[in-house]
Amino acid sequence: MRAVLKFTLLLLAFSVRTIFASEPQPANPGLNPRFTGEAPPPQEPLMLWYRLPAATLTNWTEALPVGNGRLGAMVFGGVERERLQLNEDTLWAGGPYDPANTNALAALPEVRRLIFAGQYTNAQELAGEKMMGNPMRQMPYETVGDLRLAFPTNGTIENYRRDLNLDTAVASVSYTASGIHFKREVFCSPVDQVIVMRLTADQPGSVSFNVGLDTPQMATVKTAGANELVMDGVNRPANNVAGALKFQVRVRVLTQGGKLFADKDEISVAQADAATLLIAAATSYKNYHDVSGRPEAIVRKQIVDAGSKSFDRLLEAQVAEHQRLFRRVALDLGETEAMKLPTDERIAHFAGGNDPQLAALYFQFARYLLICSSRPGGQPANLQGLWNESMNPPWGSKYTININTEMNYWPAEPGNLGECVEPLTGLVMDLAQTGARTARVMYGARGWVAHHNSDLWRATAPIDGPQYGLWPMGGAWLLQNLWEHYQFTGDKKYLKEIYPALEGSARFFLDTLVEEPTHRWLVTCPSLSPENKHPGGASVCAGPTMDLEIVRDLFSNCIQASEILGRDKKFRQQLAAASTRLAPLQIGGAGQLQEWLEDWDTNAPDIHHRHVSHLYGLFPSSQIDVRATPELAAAAKRSLEIRGDKATGWATAWRLNLWARLHDGEHAYGILEFLLSPARTYPDLFDAHPPFQIDGNFGGASGIAEMLLQSQNGEIEFLPALPGAWPNGNVKGLRARGGFEVDVGWKDGRLVSATIQSLAGNRCRLRYGNVTRAVEIKKGSILRLNGQLQ
Ligand code: FUC
């Protein structure tokens, strides 16, 4: 009886609901005097760590991400209260819809006429009226809600530390309170498809907490049986598209010792020795036109299956699966005393400091994020990867495909994470379906088209306004990422799978390219150079440089693919003929690479614009190259100088890659210093556009790889842009085009060793500075070289 009374009092004392509903939040618990002592820095170098919780449980960019590609959480690490903000990658607003605008085709000739007559603002206005998708905006990606815990903690907190171990993918919180050492570990298993949270203490009977679920979604929360919480909900409508998804979250609470009590919508644990929470979430999304899945059946099974395994078994399986991918690449840029500082302090001191390992950590963090947000079978990494606390996140946290989604996948191949491209391949194959209708209805064209954005429902029509949306190149650019997957792997089966999408996209351009009146070059029209206004008072124009670069790559890839696969000879010839008629790259009066057909660059309203679209030819493409096309490379450099280094997160990351391709290691490093400063990196290492956008993380990692190894244009080049800040180091396991795995070691700024393993048996040419060497390595064999490539 007394025990029951005590237990009830305990429940009243720290009900999750009461605490979260009414307790005022301290303005800055970072200064909370109750935290004392200094937890030691972690031994493991690949750790993010902090001496305080994420402030007030609201400062989301201080929380630490875990994820299994589909399901994810942000872990805040609070002491009296803990928050796990939850995501599931198919919980978006809306339902299946078709945004193609049936008025577009009739307006197309007039829009083109106005553009060629130089009446750009009129063209843009008409396109705005007749050529935009319906609705004009796409569906946002949404949060699932939060798992909330409340703990009966009193007194001083000693030696607090929270961290994220990139090597095991486990987030931990540990501290001592009232002489008891508490520990929490959280991971999200790709094997068992649940988030697992383990709560332990070094003295028996010390683990007590209440747990509940919160959500801004249209959902109900209740307990089920003695130890489960269930949230049932439906997604929201958006932009006149009805919500069509159901979802369920199920939490099972397992205890060792102590007592467990299920209230209406909360579960309480008192005086347990340890507890494990299993969290599962699923929606009814099957694919972009089928929402008939059964979330309840899915999460029930996941919870039952995971519940039959011990915590150690769950942990072991997830660590093994994570390390299978994560451990393929090791990067050592040198270690210094700075490593002993918490991660947020290191970010503040990176620029001008001596902390090369932070760059290595940043590189590996991006690989971690890709593994955690883009696994086979799931959705591709969106603008925030997988992690989003809002119902209305910036830019809908969608797939912006005029740079951002492509950038997300730049580190995938060099970073030896080719499998993580699978969700992107899936997206593109879907867009080839939905985009076929957009091509037919809006352009009267065969093949398929996608404009500058897409969402869970694979929408492909122009959105947001013609100055952003009227850009028919998104699908074609995404195909370049898929082509790179083939370049790095040589996987013919994959090439065969993506060939219809390549062929369909090329066919769209054969049908829609038009002759511009002055030179009779073939150009896209209407289009724009992503989001950049030209001096004609609009963005809309004909034949921006980037479009022609993308079409040139697309046609060339399609020609090669059809040769390799032995098909479509006649089509190949058509593509070759059209290729020679595309408008060429042009150098303008300021010595710059022209962004448009006309030499407008230095008269454009924003010469420092964040997008550097015309430099696509230098990176990610390799049409412009310091050795093969030195004049164009010099012009690209001039364009970059005019644009300047300071830009948003992803735009900074793009500049980093471009300077690496120009083989200017010092300039590239200066840009990395800006990217890794508090202006562009949050305390949890997430990229700051600002606001948070994950592309800068991925683009940054790609840039670091480009500084150490490049493999475009038939050569594998060692240390093409090594900065003075990294005199000694080595990298193991990077991938190069042609199917190679490469290790590189350097000392005093000079190459000392290289190891090349051939995965496909292709020939290759190696380069270090001016020394080159052609080699043949049998498939599966390894070649070891010294600094002279001998
Ligand atoms: C493009 C960029 C913005 C932002 C958005 C998601 O529109 O121009 O900077 O990254 O995508």
Side-chain angles (χ1 to χ4, degrees):
M1 190 62 206
R2 260 180 58 194
V4 171
L5 186 68
K6 197 167 153 204
F7 187 55
T8 314
L9 286 174
L10 188 73
L11 288 178
L12 289 175
F14 65 103
S15 157
V16 184
R17 254 172 311 146
T18 347
I19 285 180
F20 286 106
S22 57
E23 196 184 75
Q25 311 274 319
N28 188 350
L31 300 176
N32 192 327
R34 292 174 58 230
F35 285 85
T36 66
E38 281 213 342
Q43 297 296 309
E44 157 68 46
L46 292 178
M47 296 272 259
L48 279 58
W49 72 282
Y50 309 84
R51 289 216 167 96
L52 288 167
T56 68
L57 302 195
T58 56
N59 210 347
W60 190 84
T61 48
E62 290 179 19
L64 296 169
V66 296
N68 67 6
R70 179 187 68 83
L71 185 65
M74 292 293 281
V75 183
F76 284 68
V79 171
E80 287 111 332
R81 293 159 292 144
E82 173 62 296
R83 174 182 175 203
L84 260 60
Q85 184 268 313
L86 307 172
N87 286 107
E88 205 279 348
D89 70 358
T90 60
L91 187 53
W92 294 56
Y97 71 105
D98 169 22
N101 183 341
T102 49
N103 296 322
L105 186 56
L108 182 61
E110 179 61 5
V111 171
R112 282 184 174 148
R113 190 193 68 76
L114 289 167
I115 288 172
F116 286 129
Q119 297 181 36
Y120 301 106
T121 50
N122 294 344
Q124 191 160 291
E125 205 171 297
L126 181 61
E129 276 166 34
K130 305 283 190 193
M131 295 193 73
M132 301 313 292
N134 182 18
M136 245 247 264
R137 300 201 183 274
Q138 294 172 354
M139 303 301 121
Y141 176 53
E142 298 177 333
T143 183
V144 168
D146 298 305
L147 184 82
R148 302 277 192 168
L149 291 93
F151 301 91
T153 308
N154 283 313
T156 305
I157 306 302
E158 290 164 64
N159 299 341
Y160 175 93
R161 189 175 97 192
R162 71 189 166 97
D163 51 51
L164 175 64
N165 184 332
L166 303 184
D167 186 49
T168 59
V170 177
S172 310
V173 180
S174 63
Y175 56 87
T176 302
S178 308
I180 304 170
H181 187 69
F182 292 94
K183 188 164 182 185
R184 256 175 258 155
E185 293 152 285
V186 183
F187 62 86
C188 184
S189 174
V191 181
D192 292 290
Q193 292 298 321
V194 287
I195 298 167
V196 182
M197 183 180 205
R198 172 86 168 156
L199 301 106
T200 52
D202 68 354
Q203 289 177 31
S206 307
V207 174
S208 300
F209 61 91
N210 277 14
V211 54
L213 286 162
D214 259 6
T215 184
Q217 296 280 358
M218 294 184 286
T220 55
V221 177
K222 57 182 189 336
T223 50
N227 66 347
E228 282 187 9
L229 281 166
V230 179
M231 184 200 291
D232 270 306
V234 293
N235 71 336
R236 289 205 189 164
N239 309 312
N240 294 324
V241 175
L245 293 173
K246 290 181 293 192
F247 68 92
Q248 187 172 98
V249 182
R250 196 167 272 263
V251 181
R252 181 175 285 189
V253 182
L254 302 162
T255 48
Q256 278 164 251
K259 293 202 160 54
L260 191 77
F261 178 81
D263 192 1
K264 203 163 88 334
D265 55 3
E266 276 180 28
I267 291 177
S268 307
V269 171
Q271 288 134 12
D273 300 331
T276 302
L277 309 187
L278 304 174
I279 304 145
T283 78
S284 55
Y285 183 85
K286 282 189 158 171
N287 59 49
Y288 69 90
H289 53 79
D290 182 353
V291 291
S292 67
R294 295 169 55 226
E296 172 161 0
I298 297 168
V299 296
R300 266 182 191 279
K301 181 163 176 2
Q302 288 166 343
I303 289 284
V304 167
D305 291 352
S308 71
K309 299 180 188 174
S310 69
F311 172 78
D312 288 344
R313 246 180 91 195
L314 293 168
L315 177 65
E316 217 170 275
Q318 91 82 39
V319 171
E321 173 52 23
H322 177 73
Q323 290 180 346
R324 180 178 73 82
L325 301 176
F326 186 74
R327 287 200 165 172
R328 286 179 188 163
V329 177
L331 173 59
D332 177 4
L333 297 174
E335 303 195 344
T336 60
E337 283 292 296
M339 286 172 68
K340 293 190 179 146
L341 293 174
T343 308
D344 45 346
E345 290 178 37
R346 294 175 70 183
I347 297 165
H349 298 126
F350 180 71
N354 181 19
D355 192 3
Q357 200 268 345
L358 187 63
L361 186 72
Y362 189 77
F363 172 81
Q364 293 290 24
F365 182 57
R367 293 186 64 250
Y368 169 88
L369 291 175
L370 196 62
I371 295 169
C372 295
S373 64
S374 187
R375 274 182 174 270
Q379 298 300 312
N382 61 45
L383 284 174
Q384 298 188 181
L386 173 65
W387 301 276
N388 159 40
E389 68 170 337
S390 171
M391 295 297 280
N392 187 21
W395 294 285
S397 196
K398 305 190 299 288
Y399 300 108
T400 303
I401 55 178
N402 66 10
I403 172 66
N404 315 85
T405 307
E406 289 87 352
M407 182 178 280
N408 282 0
Y409 288 88
W410 287 353
E413 308 295 344
N416 211 332
L417 295 173
E419 294 92 333
C420 296
V421 176
E422 195 259 13
L424 186 74
T425 307
L427 171 84
V428 176
M429 299 314 282
D430 287 351
L431 294 178
Q433 303 295 318
T434 55
R437 180 170 150 80
T438 306
R440 193 173 65 246
V441 172
M442 298 187 62
Y443 293 89
R446 296 169 298 171
W448 67 279
V449 63
H451 292 81
H452 96 301
N453 256 279
S454 194
D455 59 13
L456 182 72
W457 310 106
R458 307 326 191 205
T460 52
I463 60 157
D464 291 350
Q467 66 275 38
Y468 313 107
L470 199 62
W471 184 70
M473 308 306 301
W477 190 357
L478 285 171
L479 282 167
Q480 185 64 18
N481 285 69
L482 273 44
W483 177 255
E484 290 287 6
H485 184 70
Y486 172 69
Q487 289 296 295
F488 275 81
T489 58
D491 180 351
K492 289 210 179 86
K493 208 171 130 251
Y494 179 79
L495 186 65
K496 205 168 160 199
E497 182 193 324
I498 64 165
Y499 182 78
L502 273 172
E503 192 250 10
S505 179
R507 213 173 272 287
F508 171 81
F509 290 103
L510 278 185
D511 282 4
T512 57
L513 287 171
V514 290
E515 256 185 21
E516 53 82 33
T518 319
H519 306 90
R520 312 198 61 185
W521 292 328
L522 287 182
V523 295
T524 49
C525 183
S527 189
L528 47 87
S529 190
E531 308 192 27
N532 202 5
K533 216 177 191 184
H534 56 72
S539 308
V540 166
C541 66
T545 300
M546 177 188 230
D547 289 17
L548 300 158
E549 291 172 326
I550 293 176
V551 172
R552 200 170 286 118
D553 272 347
L554 172 68
F555 284 5
S556 150
N557 299 343
C558 204
I559 291 169
Q560 287 181 64
S562 81
E563 277 166 355
I564 295 162
L565 300 173
R567 53 204 279 183
D568 298 336
K569 190 163 172 210
K570 231 177 114 205
F571 181 59
R572 199 187 306 160
Q573 288 161 351
Q574 278 177 299
L575 293 178
S579 251
T580 60
R581 298 184 55 209
L582 293 172
L585 296 176
Q586 302 179 78
I587 297 175
Q592 91 287 10
L593 183 75
Q594 271 180 219
E595 181 163 356
W596 293 277
L597 278 182
E598 313 286 334
D599 189 359
W600 282 333
D601 300 41
T602 46
N603 295 322
D606 182 5
I607 60 167
H608 304 302
H609 199 262
R610 58 194 182 285
H611 286 261
V612 281
S613 305
H614 50 317
L615 303 185
Y616 162 92
L618 176 62
F619 187 89
S621 177
S622 51
Q623 292 170 36
I624 301 173
D625 181 85
V626 280
R627 289 198 189 84
T629 62
E631 294 84 14
L632 289 172
K637 185 173 175 188
R638 188 72 204 108
S639 291
L640 264 182
E641 287 165 354
I642 295 170
R643 268 312 211 263
D645 292 345
K646 294 273 182 314
T648 61
W650 62 260
T652 305
W654 196 351
R655 283 157 173 77
L656 171 64
N657 285 274
L658 289 161
W659 282 105
R661 277 283 169 98
L662 289 172
H663 291 185
D664 189 334
E666 294 314 315
H667 204 123
Y669 186 77
I671 293 185
L672 181 64
E673 285 191 308
F674 179 58
L675 186 64
L676 242 172
S677 75
R680 292 293 174 272
T681 296
Y682 290 109
D684 65 0
L685 278 187
F686 267 166
D687 168 65
H689 179 288
F692 165 53
Q693 220 171 271
I694 207 161
D695 38 23
N697 288 104
F698 292 132
S702 161
I704 291 169
E706 287 289 318
M707 289 163 84
L708 304 175
L709 186 77
Q710 294 181 15
S711 64
Q712 66 277 11
N713 291 329
E715 280 188 352
I716 296 179
E717 180 162 8
F718 305 112
L719 307 178
L722 186 69
W726 301 339
N728 304 309
N730 65 77
V731 61
K732 297 196 171 84
L734 289 181
R735 284 279 171 100
R737 289 176 187 78
F740 299 97
E741 193 161 308
V742 181
D743 301 348
V744 188
W746 64 96
K747 233 181 140 194
D748 302 323
R750 304 277 314 160
L751 180 76
V752 289
S753 63
T755 303
I756 301 116
Q757 184 182 1
S758 173
L759 307 165
N762 291 327
R763 286 160 191 260
C764 72
R765 230 172 104 84
L766 308 175
R767 175 183 288 276
Y768 176 56
N770 290 327
V771 183
T772 60
R773 183 175 165 196
V775 294
E776 270 196 72
I777 313 167
K778 270 203 263 127
K779 184 170 170 171
S781 297
I782 299 179
L783 179 70
R784 290 175 213 285
L785 300 164
N786 62 21
Q788 283 73 47
L789 303 187
Q790 298 303 314

